[in-house]
Amino acid sequence: MAQQKFDFLIIGSGIAGLSFALKTAAHGKVLIITKANEDETNTKYAQGGIAAVWNEHDNFEKHIQDTFDAGANLNDDEAVRTVVTQAPERIQELMDIGTSFDKTAEGSFDLAREGGHSEHRILHYKDATGKEIERALLKKVHEHPNITIANHYFAIDIITQHHLGEIVTSNTKDITCYGVYVLNIRSQKIETILSKITCMATGGVGQVYATTTNPLIATGDGIAMVYRAKGYVQDMEFVQFHPTSLYNPNEQPSFLISEAVRGFGAVLRNADGTEFMQQYDQRGSLAPRDIVARAIDNEMKITGNDYLYLDCRHLDRKGFIEHFPNIYNKCMSLGIDPFKQMIPVVPAAHYLCGGIVVNKQAQSSIQHLYAVGECSRTGLHGANRLASNSLLEAVVYAHNGSKDAIEKMKTIAFKDAVPNWNAEGTEHPEEMVLITQSLKEVQQIMSNYVGIVRSPLRLQRAFDRLEILYKENETLYDKTTISPKLCQLRNLICVGYLIIKHAMRRKESVGLHYMLR
Ligand code: FAD
Ligand code: SIN
């Protein structure tokens, strides 16, 4: 099969991939591949907004300090300063391409507040900020003559010396990415796509847990691909659980009740109506996420309940519906009137702070391979991400990374003699029952033993159980036809393994990693 060649190959069509594409497109041919419909991304589900210093009450030092406080000071100083100080410029660019953010009647931006922020500094579009950003970015991408976007293209593995039979003798820094093997889900053919620069923008890993706010695409594919290619991955123990997803046991993914609702005045309560957060932190319901999620987890264990409540009954109805129309409609559709009843909420896996290690230019440890967005580990978040800092991180690193990539691209030639994969794939796996069952087991193992509260015994048990699933799945992978579902399971097992391994290494409790002794 003929091999396609692109100057820039981007895997993922969320805020990170689309931003990287728009930044590089004036300098070469760009292909974006995405395994589902182009807008099916974590980005589309982002509610609260994007953080930036935007008015005279606020300043960069405050946003920097809040980011460090949330991250338990494990943050990388330069990453924090770069992201915070570039925020206004990058957000202005989003507006320049047509993104709307809500304004007050007086015409200034309607800045919201979320957990861990000492100021109102979240720009938002109602409670659907991600959808609005994704819409604007996709429109611009479609208009650009240099950008092709291929939907339903599933990246299986990045191509390195390993696939050419070349031995990398010295150290892992010599590993180079030449492109990607991709399953074209519609034609069921595995294609070879060669690139000068490849950018991983594959998003998060929420699907490794049984309860998550992340859509089905969030299976950590990019992180697993890079790990298999011997790239560096770090900080995987820092999985953020959002304190308030809507308790609705059969809904997958869990619907988020934005932290901005607490910023608007909603209060967490027990089944008996007690406001319990003050016992845990003086910032109450608006303490950073790790503290609130842990407090809810603890209260649920003490009371034996499967959920707690978010009380909105005292809030201004008109203002609430204006700010949170989707949340209001969702609650009403389930028969919960937020002004009459408290909303049942439960923590859910939400965001990964770690991932593919990158430098300040978004370059990974693998040559010619960049990583941006949630799949990357920039050091910005430390041990716990500050709310609404992740959309921001994606646009800042897409900007800085693209500048570096454009210069490098000019010096890189396409690799010769890359072999084709020479196999067909399928959308419908032969042994679906095995895949479905193993996936459930992975999610249960991770939720039960590697969730908000961990212990050495729980981690060891998770490790042992996952090892069995790993071996079983490798056998299935070797014996059956490649399919996205099989590959995703393989990637989730890899991600689960990395979370456990990194959690075992970190002995102390810090940020999102809380260990019982
Ligand atoms: P994504 O937007 O997830 O995009 C990943 C892309 O990669 C998708 O197109 C996917 O199909 C593709 N992909 C993955 N694997 C493959 C593969 N193997 N082959 C081909 N394509 C692949 N952050 C904030 O800052 N503010 C918020 O208010 C906020 N609210 C949130 C609310 C929810 C419910 C969720 C889930 C997250 C929220 N976040 C928020 C986090 C934020 O949305 C994400 O971190 C961010 O959108 C990630 O963007 P991304 O471009 O890195 O990845
Ligand atoms: C939310 O709206 O609560 C999510 C914000 C975030 O994850 O940054």
Side-chain angles (χ1 to χ4, degrees):
M1 184 184 288
Q3 300 181 343
Q4 297 193 67
K5 293 182 179 173
F6 287 87
D7 297 311
F8 301 96
L9 167 61
I10 298 164
I11 311 172
S13 56
I15 187 171
L18 297 177
S19 301
F20 197 88
L22 287 173
K23 293 275 175 179
T24 48
H27 304 270
K29 287 280 174 205
V30 178
L31 174 68
I32 304 171
I33 61 168
T34 181
K35 66 181 174 180
N37 290 336
E38 60 197 18
D39 70 342
E40 188 53 8
T41 58
N42 271 10
T43 300
K44 185 174 83 171
Y45 295 89
Q47 292 186 357
I50 185 163
V53 170
W54 212 270
N55 68 22
E56 64 283 4
H57 306 297
D58 203 359
N59 61 54
F60 288 145
E61 280 312 313
K62 285 190 194 171
H63 189 180
I64 288 168
Q65 196 50 50
D66 291 345
T67 303
F68 277 114
D69 286 348
N73 291 315
L74 289 195
N75 323 58
D76 178 291
D77 188 74
E78 202 185 331
V80 175
R81 285 178 189 280
T82 303
V83 170
V84 167
T85 55
Q86 278 192 24
E89 216 179 323
R90 302 284 81 82
I91 292 175
Q92 185 58 52
E93 286 171 354
L94 285 175
M95 292 192 258
D96 293 344
I97 63 156
T99 311
S100 291
F101 293 109
D102 288 351
K103 291 197 168 164
T104 61
E106 292 74 44
S108 56
F109 283 105
D110 177 32
L111 300 175
R113 192 168 160 210
E114 292 179 359
H117 286 276
S118 57
E119 292 289 341
H120 284 72
R121 64 166 75 98
I122 318 291
L123 289 105
H124 65 97
Y125 179 77
K126 304 198 182 299
D127 54 0
T129 310
K131 196 170 173 191
E132 170 61 8
I133 293 175
E134 183 77 14
R135 179 201 62 73
L137 285 169
L138 274 173
K139 181 166 184 291
K140 213 67 193 164
V141 159
H142 285 298
E143 286 166 4
H144 205 295
N146 272 359
I147 306 178
T148 306
I149 183 157
N151 289 275
H152 304 282
Y153 265 63
F154 185 95
I156 304 168
D157 265 318
I158 59 168
I159 303 168
T160 65
Q161 288 94 331
H162 171 78
H163 299 93
L164 281 82
E166 293 174 4
I167 297 164
V168 183
T169 46
S170 50
N171 66 36
T172 48
K173 289 260 181 226
D174 295 332
I175 296 169
T176 305
C177 176
Y178 305 123
V180 179
Y181 290 121
V182 181
L183 172 61
N184 175 342
I185 299 174
R186 296 250 157 87
S187 72
Q188 318 221 333
K189 300 264 183 284
I190 297 177
E191 299 180 10
T192 307
I193 301 177
L194 300 181
S195 51
K196 294 179 180 171
I197 296 288
T198 304
C199 176
M200 206 55 94
T202 46
V205 305
Q207 287 293 324
V208 79
Y209 288 92
T211 306
T212 177
T213 61
N214 292 189
L216 294 176
I217 54 104
T219 52
D221 300 350
I223 295 169
M225 282 187 253
V226 166
Y227 182 73
R228 280 196 291 274
K230 304 211 179 327
Y232 296 165
V233 173
Q234 199 181 311
D235 289 353
M236 296 290 287
E237 68 274 38
F238 298 128
V239 177
Q240 184 171 74
F241 286 75
H242 197 291
T244 56
S245 82
L246 180 63
Y247 177 75
N248 186 24
N250 294 322
E251 185 170 0
Q252 162 78 294
S254 301
F255 183 83
L256 186 71
I257 306 292
S258 174
E259 206 158 82
V261 174
R262 276 174 279 139
F264 196 73
V267 172
L268 285 160
R269 292 190 193 279
N270 259 330
D272 65 9
T274 312
E275 183 187 347
F276 58 88
M277 266 315 297
Q278 291 296 341
Q279 296 163 35
Y280 294 86
D281 192 288
Q282 61 183 11
R283 289 164 288 188
S285 293
L286 270 183
R289 256 175 222 178
D290 55 336
I291 296 169
V292 182
R294 219 160 31 242
I296 295 180
D297 187 68
N298 195 41
E299 291 290 315
M300 280 168 33
K301 283 184 177 131
I302 293 169
T303 58
N305 292 333
D306 290 340
Y307 51 87
L308 289 168
Y309 290 104
L310 190 63
D311 190 359
C312 303
R313 293 171 299 177
H314 55 291
L315 300 178
D316 165 47
R317 186 183 189 103
K318 185 167 170 286
F320 185 93
I321 295 172
E322 260 168 34
H323 279 88
F324 310 112
N326 296 304
I327 293 173
Y328 177 75
N329 288 334
K330 176 73 184 181
C331 289
M332 292 299 281
S333 76
L334 296 173
I336 304 162
D337 180 341
F339 297 95
K340 294 191 180 139
Q341 293 141 279
M342 295 194 286
I343 304 173
V345 290
V346 64
H350 181 65
Y351 182 84
L352 178 69
C353 297
I356 302 161
V357 176
V358 294
N359 67 12
K360 300 298 166 292
Q361 286 74 42
Q363 161 82 58
S364 77
S365 64
I366 296 179
Q367 300 297 313
H368 310 170
L369 181 73
Y370 291 71
V372 280
E374 191 168 339
C375 69
S376 68
R377 183 271 179 203
T378 62
L380 170 68
H381 310 303
N384 173 40
R385 174 179 65 103
L386 182 66
S388 287
N389 262 358
S390 73
L391 295 170
L392 178 61
E393 178 191 46
V395 283
V396 169
Y397 275 81
H399 175 83
N400 297 343
S402 65
K403 284 210 280 194
D404 193 66
I406 289 162
E407 287 315 306
K408 287 241 173 66
M409 191 273 294
K410 296 174 187 160
T411 66
I412 298 171
F414 291 112
K415 184 73 175 172
D416 290 330
V418 173
N420 285 333
W421 187 292
N422 283 335
E424 299 229 323
T426 176
E427 192 176 357
H428 307 288
E430 289 149 48
E431 286 285 6
M432 192 58 197
V433 61
L434 298 183
I435 294 174
T436 311
Q437 194 50 36
S438 293
L439 175 60
K440 280 188 194 150
E441 285 180 46
V442 172
Q443 291 170 334
Q444 287 305 326
I445 290 167
M446 294 303 293
S447 291
N448 291 334
Y449 308 132
V450 202
I452 295 173
V453 176
R454 303 157 179 180
S455 76
L457 280 176
R458 291 178 198 182
L459 293 179
Q460 188 59 51
R461 178 173 288 198
F463 187 91
D464 295 343
R465 299 285 196 274
L466 207 66
E467 197 171 25
I468 298 170
L469 291 169
Y470 168 76
K471 285 181 183 150
E472 288 172 354
N473 200 57
E474 286 304 293
T475 308
L476 199 60
Y477 187 82
D478 290 341
K479 285 195 174 152
T480 62
T481 312
I482 293 268
S483 67
K485 290 219 159 50
L486 178 59
C487 292
Q488 287 179 166
L489 172 61
R490 189 170 187 238
N491 293 335
L492 285 170
I493 291 172
C494 175
V495 162
Y497 162 77
L498 288 168
I499 295 172
I500 298 166
K501 197 170 97 169
H502 292 192
M504 281 173 152
R505 264 196 225 143
R506 191 175 290 281
K507 305 292 177 209
E508 80 284 10
S509 290
V510 58
L512 296 161
H513 176 65
Y514 187 81
M515 288 285 272
L516 293 175
R517 287 285 144 202

